[in-house]
Amino acid sequence: MKLINIKGDTYYIKGGTNTGVVKLDEDNVLIIDPGLGGLRPKKIMGLLKENNMKISHIINTHEHEDHYEGCNQIKINDETIQILSSKEAKIYIDFPHKFADSILGGKSNILLNPKVSDKKENLIKIDNVVSEGNIVLNNKKVEIIKLKGHSEGSIGVLTEDKVLFVGDLFVGEDIFRKFELLLMYDVKSYLSSIDKIKNLEFEYMVLGHSKKIYSKEESKLLIKSHSDAINKYINQVRELLKSPITIDNILKNIINNNNLYCNYTQYYFFRSTIISIISYLCYLNQVDYSIKLGEMLYYSKKA
């Protein structure tokens, strides 16, 4: 594990989830997305201690546990650390079963979340929520940017060094090739967030899951590939809606036609995204429904 300098006072630590590190003053640092619990938080704390850095703040870019779960182990080490997120993400981080329940569409189970029966009480609590705009931590300014779409509470963090941490708005090219159908909570907001990124002034982009850092120029191709993929699946759903069809039959066609890898969890992630696409098309007033023989059928409205 290494502390890698990106520019100025902005660093990151590679991992299954990349963790941002921003020096706030001579002693204290902000970390962004500590990742899962277990060995990683301990290693992060050890690495920062070796570099004479003390964690004073943690910002979670969104409410998925592979980004925030390590917060508890870090806070146990120092209760003065402030854990921050958006107000929407706070709901899910404070009550983690809500995310699994929302994906499944009812009470979650051990097939979706093997650890669900062990979580008697969540020990991670968000201390303060952050809103879009500039915030000051230990006299260092960082900008919070709403990047809703992947999740309800997704945010980005832009440092004074013009390094932008985007969480899971985008994924690295190696992951993208395997999981082109992205998990999306809100397609309309996702597309808006992509447009927002295009107009931001940054020099480097750090993704939650990627083996590399992207320059502003390199990010253009990444942004385009994500935008193209979203529109590809929107158009595939539109095509399937030419005849009345159920959500699960839309999903079956999408999985089979695109040779998508699928396990229990991924199936429900894909299904959630398909529902989000249907909701987006409803927003555009392009979809209607009927119920026949107990089946909910969706279809395109006639022009």
Side-chain angles (χ1 to χ4, degrees):
M1 180 178 280
K2 295 180 181 179
L3 182 65
I4 303 167
N5 182 248
I6 302 172
K7 183 185 176 187
D9 290 330
T10 306
Y11 303 74
Y12 86 112
I13 301 167
K14 285 184 179 180
T17 298
N18 293 319
T19 298
V21 178
V22 183
K23 284 188 73 174
L24 301 176
D25 53 38
E26 286 301 312
D27 301 310
N28 297 293
V29 297
L30 155 72
I31 67 171
I32 302 164
D33 290 344
L36 286 167
L39 289 176
R40 184 169 175 81
K42 295 176 183 177
K43 288 183 177 181
I44 288 174
M45 288 186 285
L47 178 62
L48 295 178
K49 187 175 181 180
E50 288 173 12
N51 286 273
N52 300 311
M53 294 177 175
K54 178 178 177 291
I55 301 168
S56 63
H57 297 80
I58 300 172
I59 293 180
N60 299 291
T61 60
H62 63 291
E63 60 270 32
H64 296 162
E65 65 178 9
D66 59 324
H67 288 254
Y68 74 74
E69 192 181 56
C71 287
N72 183 53
Q73 288 171 256
I74 294 171
K75 180 118 180 180
I76 285 174
N77 189 62
D78 182 354
E79 291 187 359
T80 67
I81 293 170
Q82 293 289 293
I83 303 177
L84 314 173
S85 76
S86 68
K87 67 178 182 180
E88 294 88 353
K90 173 180 166 60
I91 297 168
Y92 292 90
I93 295 173
D94 285 354
F95 303 98
H97 65 277
K98 288 184 177 294
F99 171 69
D101 292 352
S102 68
I103 288 294
L104 201 59
K107 181 70 174 174
S108 187
N109 59 55
I110 60 172
L111 298 175
L112 184 71
N113 185 358
K115 296 184 288 184
V116 70
S117 60
D118 299 329
K119 292 185 176 179
K120 296 178 182 177
E121 183 180 354
N122 186 37
L123 298 177
I124 303 167
K125 300 296 179 187
I126 298 300
D127 296 303
N128 288 296
V129 299
V130 291
S131 302
E132 188 165 47
N134 292 325
I135 62 172
V136 178
L137 306 173
N138 293 27
N139 298 315
K140 175 78 77 171
K141 182 180 73 174
V142 295
E143 185 178 355
I144 304 299
I145 301 158
K146 274 189 180 180
L147 294 177
K148 207 169 179 179
H150 171 66
S151 77
E152 187 175 4
S154 291
I155 56 173
V157 181
L158 180 63
T159 75
E160 289 184 349
D161 299 311
K162 299 298 181 185
V163 179
L164 177 62
F165 294 86
V166 297
D168 285 354
L169 183 67
F170 307 114
V171 295
E173 294 153 332
D174 51 328
I175 300 171
F176 185 67
R177 282 191 290 270
K178 295 179 183 177
F179 299 102
E180 188 187 51
L181 180 56
L182 304 169
L183 175 59
M184 287 184 287
Y185 166 78
D186 182 336
V187 175
K188 179 176 179 289
S189 293
Y190 199 112
L191 294 171
S192 295
S193 293
I194 287 178
D195 287 338
K196 184 183 288 189
I197 289 285
K198 292 175 184 177
N199 297 315
L200 288 178
E201 291 185 15
F202 65 90
E203 294 180 19
Y204 300 98
M205 179 189 288
V206 183
L207 315 183
H209 308 287
S210 177
K211 294 179 179 179
K212 61 175 283 187
I213 301 296
Y214 289 83
S215 69
K216 178 69 179 284
E217 188 60 32
E218 289 172 326
S219 74
K220 292 177 181 177
L221 184 59
L222 186 76
I223 292 166
K224 184 179 185 303
S225 65
H226 280 65
S227 181
D228 288 348
I230 294 165
N231 284 303
K232 166 187 166 181
Y233 285 105
I234 290 172
N235 288 330
Q236 285 188 20
V237 172
R238 277 197 181 108
E239 189 66 26
L240 290 166
L241 288 169
K242 287 182 177 179
S243 299
I245 188 170
T246 65
I247 291 287
D248 288 309
N249 276 325
I250 292 173
L251 179 57
K252 181 177 75 172
N253 277 275
I254 294 292
I255 290 171
N256 291 333
N257 293 343
N258 296 280
N259 296 312
L260 299 176
Y261 165 78
C262 197
N263 59 21
Y264 191 90
T265 300
Q266 203 63 49
Y267 180 90
Y268 277 98
F269 281 180
F270 289 155
R271 193 176 192 279
S272 179
T273 295
I274 295 301
I275 291 171
S276 296
I277 291 173
I278 293 290
S279 295
Y280 174 63
L281 295 175
C282 286
Y283 161 77
L284 297 176
N285 199 30
Q286 295 178 0
V287 174
D288 209 337
Y289 79 95
S290 64
I291 300 174
K292 292 184 179 178
L293 300 176
E295 283 192 318
M296 176 72 71
L297 301 170
Y298 292 91
Y299 54 89
S300 297
K301 284 187 174 182
K302 292 183 180 179

